[in-house]
Amino acid sequence: MKTPSSQDKTQTNKQMEEEDPRSETVDEALQKKHNDMLERFSARHQARKSDSASSSSTFESTSSFLSQFADSKRSIESRIADLRLASSSEDSSKIKSDLAEVSSSIDDLEKLVAANSYFLPSYEVRSSLRSASDLKQSLDALSAALLPKKKFSFKSKQSSAAAAATKIQKRDLVSPPTNVVVRDSPGFRNKRGETLSKSFRSSSSIGEFTLSDLDSCRVHLTGTVNALFIHRLRNCSVYTGPVLGSILIDDVEDCVLVAASHQIRIHRAKRSDFYLRVRSRPIIEDSNGVRFGPYCLGYGGIEEDLKTAGLEEDTESWANVDDFLWLRALHSPNWSILPQEERLSSVSISGLGGDSS
């Protein structure tokens, strides 16, 4: 038997060294592509609203975020206190305007939490969302006291001009995409034809989770997680419990995704259905043939998880999609509402087994 020469060994080692970088380049390319996409999101939003306040900007540390959150919270509490002193005899239109401004500030506060949730400890995310929810309840109670509903009144239709103004106002409240760097977070990657399950209830240390390069898979995620990243899925069904912060979806085709989150951004999606519960308007870009319906997931403990995430109330924002590449006043042809007869009525993933690797 011929013994390999030192030259043969050198050539073999050189080949192995040349192969390894190629596998590492895949993750590096994905990260660069992801970062470029987020930069485009942010640039487009700034071009639309260059004079907007940076209320949803991210921070480099938990302490700096908490300081900004506390300042905003105190400001809102002060404005609510001032409104409590308002007399019922004051102009109702002014009271409505003041209440709307405070409500908008609370929405911005929730978006601030969602935009920074990727680095915040889970406890801080839950605590901040609960504080925002308490402010919203206080405002609702105050609104009921200052503007009691009239009895035996008919509901008037909103004029087209007023409806357009409301739509523009809501559009302006859409926060800019977070400039998040995709790290090597836990997740499911490079799977085909499998059922993948994960419970976050016993994994409090997981702040982010990634689904990447899946083909013909069924994914079940229960419990809450801070952020969810979804990349390159084909013919997959994804059912996930509430996400405390944001969900970023990129390059999916022929998929069904059932998800709940404070912010959801969808890039390069084709022929896919999304069943969502979301606090802000879903954002799509470079997508077509996508349809939307209401969140329809069920499993043991989901009501508690939705409450923890501040998503127990369905605001129906899932039906108000913002297409960043469609600037005309007409409805974007790239997305539509799922017809009632074609929607999933409910999906239960209870008792479907433990975690899979």
Side-chain angles (χ1 to χ4, degrees):
M1 180 181 296
K2 182 179 179 180
T3 302
S5 65
S6 58
Q7 181 177 1
D8 293 336
K9 291 181 180 179
T10 301
Q11 291 177 348
T12 300
N13 291 337
K14 183 176 181 181
Q15 291 175 353
M16 292 176 66
E17 291 174 356
E18 292 175 349
E19 291 175 358
D20 288 342
R22 286 201 297 268
S23 62
E24 295 175 357
T25 303
V26 175
D27 287 339
E28 293 176 358
L30 175 61
Q31 177 172 332
K32 182 178 184 301
K33 187 177 184 180
H34 181 71
N35 293 338
D36 291 343
M37 179 188 66
L38 289 170
E39 288 176 2
R40 290 201 308 276
F41 265 135
S42 182
R44 279 180 179 158
H45 179 82
Q46 293 302 327
R48 291 182 175 190
K49 191 181 176 189
S50 59
D51 60 341
S52 63
S54 57
S55 59
S56 296
S57 59
T58 56
F59 301 90
E60 295 302 323
S61 69
T62 300
S63 60
S64 59
F65 164 81
L66 291 177
S67 177
Q68 174 68 23
F69 183 89
D71 289 343
S72 299
K73 181 172 177 285
R74 280 193 297 269
S75 175
I76 293 171
E77 289 173 336
S78 177
R79 293 164 68 184
I80 291 177
D82 291 341
L83 280 170
R84 285 199 177 97
L85 300 176
S87 170
S88 58
S89 61
E90 291 188 18
D91 183 14
S92 61
S93 61
K94 183 180 186 306
I95 294 177
K96 289 180 181 179
S97 176
D98 291 341
L99 290 170
E101 288 181 4
V102 176
S103 178
S104 175
S105 295
I106 296 175
D107 288 341
D108 289 342
L109 195 65
E110 290 180 326
K111 292 170 185 176
L112 182 70
V113 179
N116 292 275
S117 62
Y118 70 97
F119 73 85
L120 291 172
S122 297
Y123 169 78
E124 297 296 355
V125 175
R126 291 193 297 268
S127 177
S128 299
L129 289 175
R130 180 53 53 194
S131 295
S133 178
D134 291 342
L135 289 173
K136 190 177 291 290
Q137 291 179 11
S138 297
L139 185 65
D140 290 342
L142 180 59
S143 178
L146 295 177
L147 300 171
K149 293 183 179 180
K150 296 180 180 180
K151 296 183 180 180
F152 308 111
S153 62
F154 291 97
K155 185 176 181 181
S156 60
K157 292 185 177 180
Q158 190 179 30
S159 67
S160 58
T166 301
K167 185 174 182 180
I168 292 173
Q169 183 181 19
K170 288 182 178 179
R171 186 183 185 89
D172 288 342
L173 290 176
V174 176
S175 60
T178 312
N179 191 15
V180 182
V181 177
V182 180
R183 290 178 288 274
D184 187 20
S185 62
F188 296 130
R189 296 175 173 84
N190 302 306
K191 303 289 185 180
R192 180 182 178 87
E194 298 185 30
T195 296
L196 308 167
S197 302
K198 176 68 180 178
S199 173
F200 300 115
R201 295 194 167 207
S202 58
S203 306
S204 58
S205 61
I206 295 181
E208 304 169 0
F209 200 77
T210 297
L211 305 177
S212 178
D213 298 284
L214 305 181
D215 188 350
S216 304
C217 290
R218 185 180 176 96
V219 182
H220 306 143
L221 306 178
T222 58
T224 60
V225 68
N226 282 4
L228 179 63
F229 303 110
I230 299 176
H231 308 276
R232 291 199 299 265
L233 268 60
R234 301 291 183 268
N235 194 33
C236 291
S237 297
V238 178
Y239 309 101
T240 175
V243 175
L244 298 174
S246 59
I247 299 176
L248 180 61
I249 301 168
D250 174 40
D251 191 9
V252 298
E253 294 184 15
D254 302 306
C255 292
V256 174
L257 295 99
V258 182
S261 179
H262 283 258
Q263 291 183 332
I264 297 178
R265 300 180 178 99
I266 302 167
H267 179 68
R268 294 191 306 163
K270 297 180 180 178
R271 301 179 304 278
S272 295
D273 293 343
F274 298 88
Y275 294 83
L276 307 179
R277 178 174 295 187
V278 58
R279 292 303 302 270
S280 58
R281 296 162 64 97
I283 297 173
I284 66 172
E285 183 187 28
D286 291 327
S287 301
N288 61 75
V290 294
R291 305 187 299 175
F292 293 83
Y295 192 60
C296 57
L297 186 64
Y299 61 81
I302 189 172
E303 295 300 331
E304 179 183 348
D305 291 339
L306 288 168
K307 186 175 181 180
T308 297
L311 294 167
E312 62 268 36
E313 178 185 359
D314 184 3
T315 61
E316 298 188 355
S317 294
W318 59 266
N320 298 313
V321 180
D322 193 1
D323 187 347
F324 266 29
L325 293 186
W326 185 257
L327 305 181
R328 299 176 61 185
L330 299 176
H331 186 283
S332 167
N334 298 318
W335 70 273
S336 62
I337 300 296
L338 271 160
Q340 189 71 39
E341 64 274 12
E342 296 183 29
R343 296 180 187 176
L344 296 174
S345 57
S346 63
V347 178
S348 175
I349 57 174
S350 298
L352 293 177
D355 293 358
S356 55
S357 57

